Amino acid sequence: MQVEATVTSRASRPVLGAPVYVCTCLRVTECELLAALSRPNVQTLKDMRCCIGAGDGCTACHGLLQQYLDARRQPSCPPICSAR
């Protein structure tokens, strides 16, 4: 018996448990990216490329990777003003 597989795009039908790639050329997952961003030595896109290789292929993911870097730089809580 032969089983036919159908291929659907991720956007139309996500597969539960499937890795989410942020750099499809080099197959770098979002989990790998978040782990790299937790390291103090990963501050720039160049650091990210050296650390995990993300963005070192066709460079189409550079915008997305930069968004992750920018989000990391945002303070999680606004500063508290002690002067009133």
Side-chain angles (χ1 to χ4, degrees):
M1 177 167 70
Q2 186 177 11
V3 177
E4 288 187 37
T6 58
V7 178
T8 59
S9 73
R10 174 187 220 109
S12 65
R13 190 172 187 193
V15 178
L16 294 177
V20 176
Y21 291 103
V22 291
C23 176
T24 54
C25 289
L26 299 171
R27 301 180 59 86
V28 177
T29 66
E30 184 180 43
C31 289
E32 293 170 314
L33 173 65
L34 294 175
L37 288 174
S38 69
R39 300 176 188 164
N41 63 330
V42 178
Q43 299 291 322
T44 65
L45 188 56
K46 183 177 179 182
D47 296 338
M48 193 180 304
R49 290 169 58 200
C50 292
C51 181
I52 58 172
D56 217 16
C58 74
T59 71
C61 61
H62 279 199
L64 177 61
L65 298 176
Q66 190 62 52
Q67 288 177 15
Y68 276 91
L69 285 166
D70 293 343
R72 176 182 157 198
R73 289 187 191 117
Q74 297 296 322
S76 58
C77 297
I80 298 172
C81 181
S82 61
R84 291 183 183 208

